[in-house]
Amino acid sequence: MPIPHVVAWNITQRCNLACAHCYISAGSWHSAGSELQTADCLRVVDEILGANPSPMLILSGGEPLVRDDLETIAAHASAGGATVVVGTNGIGLTDERIASLNAAGVQGVAISVDSLTPTYHDRFRHGTGALEQTLAAVDRLAKHELDFIIQTTVTRGNRAELRNLVDWAADRGAVSFNLYFLVETGRGEGMRGMSPEENDSVLAELLLLEAKYRGRMMVRSKCQPQIMRHAYEAGSDSPLLTYETRCPCGVHYCRITPEGKVTPCPYMPAVAGDLTQATFSEIWNDSELFASLRNPSLGGKCGACEYREVCGGCRARAYANTGDPLAEDQSCAYEPSGDAELVRPAVASVTYGSDARAAEMLWTPEAEARVSRIPSFVRGVVVDRVETWAKQNGYEEITAEMLSQMRSRMPVDFSRRRPFFLGRDR
């Protein structure tokens, strides 16, 4: 049975902005009445931890900072073993709130920056002065040494800014730069995404940027797994090839709505179950929707494509465009011949999302405890890399001191700021 490695939770539909593309149609006019209350949220956290004792839990919205019990939920999840990340527009990230999140065990913050030009960002986010406040929040996060991710939704309006945005994120010390491609759902249903050819051009540039910042800042595409074709065609040694699947919807990943519905991902509103009527494990294990995504019979050119096992298209976009999550992803420019040899994810023997293999070396209890705090989706890769590095450097056992030494020999920016690699000392 697949493991829920990452759970994204929209804990509210309330928001101080009204972004043009918002998949949950968030805004200030929503009320707290339909949201799961604190006690129910803590129960759901426990149910998630029962399905996976070390998931990554992304608390988002709407704007999660409007919930005054955010830290209570985060602290409960963090104490139970989850790696907790908060997704926010950053406007409410005062010094006091950052300190509060840090104290609650939050290990990272994802902040949305769609342009470094105020007229574009503020119009896209529907908030006068939003960019200025968000950039100030980024500086405060860096000051408090709380890891952060920069997230950008690419459109024709900001496509020319991509390189500058990535360079800026790296200069500010971001752990990762995530580029999102529009899925026409929620308020985004009224928007038109870029053409397949434009998407392809962006992915080619993104792959070059990933190579430029490798070891310092992760660069990833979201909702456009077609980047995998670019990585394979380029003969790249990119860590992108260490992913078991590029669309984890319902396989390693799911979303919880403010009222407790479980869906395959934030961009696919198809409901797999209701947490007010069933437990998280019951929904995760028994949902017919999840079962269909785990053993998909893909339609259209996705089903005929030789990259279907390493890419497979965005299932949320297929659902948004056709109502069928297994249909082809119409945003893709590639036209498969239908008779090419199937490309399999065989570059890495251990992939993100795979179980950690049995240790080949002796690990001290302190080192085992440290690696146990790493989110489950990355643990197998980390164990493999740690033992490979230890053997190459003449170690006979893995100790906590060795892990610290290994991390200190990584590029300084990356070793200081990556939240889950080798575990935090605190």
Side-chain angles (χ1 to χ4, degrees):
M1 178 62 66
I3 296 172
H5 292 297
V6 183
V7 178
W9 191 345
N10 301 120
I11 60 174
T12 183
Q13 200 171 357
R14 292 175 287 153
C15 190
N16 49 353
L17 298 178
C19 303
H21 66 310
C22 182
Y23 61 82
I24 199 171
S25 299
S28 59
W29 53 89
H30 294 290
S31 73
S34 62
E35 300 169 2
L36 292 179
Q37 299 305 297
T38 306
D40 286 326
C41 288
L42 301 184
R43 169 183 60 80
V44 170
V45 166
D46 289 339
E47 290 177 2
I48 294 169
L49 294 171
N52 178 4
S54 52
M56 177 166 284
L57 182 62
I58 304 168
L59 300 177
S60 185
E63 174 48 61
L65 297 180
V66 305
R67 284 195 64 145
D68 57 13
D69 61 354
L70 171 62
E71 283 84 350
T72 300
I73 299 167
H76 189 75
S78 178
T83 296
V84 181
V85 176
V86 171
T88 171
N89 58 42
I91 290 175
L93 279 176
T94 62
D95 287 308
E96 293 76 16
R97 198 68 193 265
I98 293 171
S100 179
L101 293 173
N102 226 331
V106 171
Q107 294 201 31
V109 174
I111 288 198
S112 298
V113 178
D114 294 299
S115 174
L116 297 175
T117 303
T119 52
Y120 179 90
H121 179 93
D122 291 359
R123 185 175 66 250
F124 192 70
R125 296 275 161 184
H126 290 182
T128 302
L131 179 63
E132 181 181 2
Q133 296 176 73
T134 297
L135 297 187
V138 170
D139 291 340
R140 284 192 288 271
L141 287 167
K143 181 182 73 174
H144 286 270
E145 297 188 338
L146 182 57
D147 294 309
F148 62 91
I149 293 166
I150 297 300
Q151 306 195 134
T152 296
T153 297
V154 63
T155 68
R156 291 186 180 90
N158 65 358
R159 188 260 175 274
E161 273 196 83
L162 175 57
R163 187 173 297 273
N164 287 341
L165 280 163
V166 175
D167 291 344
W168 170 82
D171 289 343
R172 285 295 184 274
V175 171
S176 181
F177 179 89
N178 293 339
L179 188 68
Y180 283 80
F181 290 74
L182 180 70
V183 176
E184 298 90 338
T185 189
R187 265 199 301 273
E189 188 175 356
M191 298 179 66
R192 186 167 63 91
M194 295 189 301
S195 70
E197 292 73 23
E198 288 170 321
N199 289 335
D200 225 37
S201 173
V202 171
L203 290 174
E205 182 176 359
L206 199 65
L207 192 67
L208 295 176
L209 291 167
E210 186 280 317
K212 176 181 179 180
Y213 286 106
R214 192 177 306 162
R216 179 180 172 189
M217 178 182 76
M218 292 183 285
V219 177
R220 299 290 185 266
S221 72
K222 300 293 182 179
C223 308
Q224 192 72 200
Q226 289 84 353
I227 196 171
M228 294 298 285
R229 173 174 57 83
H230 286 268
Y232 276 90
E233 288 179 346
S236 171
D237 60 349
S238 169
L240 292 171
L241 303 183
T242 317
Y243 285 85
E244 183 178 1
T245 176
R246 284 301 297 165
C247 186
C249 267
V251 181
H252 298 307
Y253 177 57
C254 68
R255 182 270 296 258
I256 301 172
T257 69
E259 64 273 16
K261 302 290 196 302
V262 179
T263 78
C265 86
Y267 299 93
M268 190 190 300
V271 175
D274 187 336
L275 287 167
T276 66
Q277 301 175 12
T279 68
F280 180 86
S281 288
E282 287 171 342
I283 296 169
W284 180 261
N285 294 332
D286 301 336
S287 164
E288 293 183 6
L289 175 59
F290 285 168
S292 69
L293 291 166
R294 292 165 189 169
N295 296 286
S297 178
L298 300 179
K301 66 181 183 181
C302 283
C305 185
E306 63 270 29
Y307 292 99
R308 60 185 178 272
E309 289 196 3
V310 296
C311 168
C314 173
R315 298 299 96 216
R317 186 175 293 106
Y319 182 81
N321 293 157
T322 71
D324 179 1
L326 302 183
E328 72 176 47
D329 179 352
Q330 298 173 6
S331 73
C332 182
Y334 186 66
E335 294 294 339
S337 65
D339 56 7
E341 183 178 354
L342 183 66
V343 177
R344 297 184 182 277
V347 172
S349 59
V350 180
T351 60
Y352 291 110
S354 64
D355 293 334
R357 58 169 170 75
E360 296 178 357
M361 300 180 65
L362 178 65
W363 289 62
T364 66
E366 294 79 13
E368 286 184 344
R370 190 158 163 180
V371 82
S372 72
R373 295 194 294 270
I374 298 172
S376 59
F377 79 93
V378 75
R379 191 179 304 141
V381 171
V382 170
V383 169
D384 182 68
R385 291 180 180 173
V386 165
E387 292 200 346
T388 298
W389 188 90
K391 291 172 184 176
Q392 291 171 346
N393 288 274
Y395 288 90
E396 295 184 355
E397 71 173 354
I398 311 297
T399 66
E401 292 76 17
M402 192 226 83
L403 295 179
S404 296
Q405 183 179 1
M406 179 181 177
R407 185 168 64 177
S408 70
R409 293 186 182 182
M410 296 169 64
V412 62
D413 290 340
F414 200 46
S415 66
R416 180 173 61 85
R417 300 197 57 77
R418 191 169 180 183
F420 47 76
F421 187 76
L422 302 186
R424 272 197 169 183
D425 297 325
R426 66 181 176 90

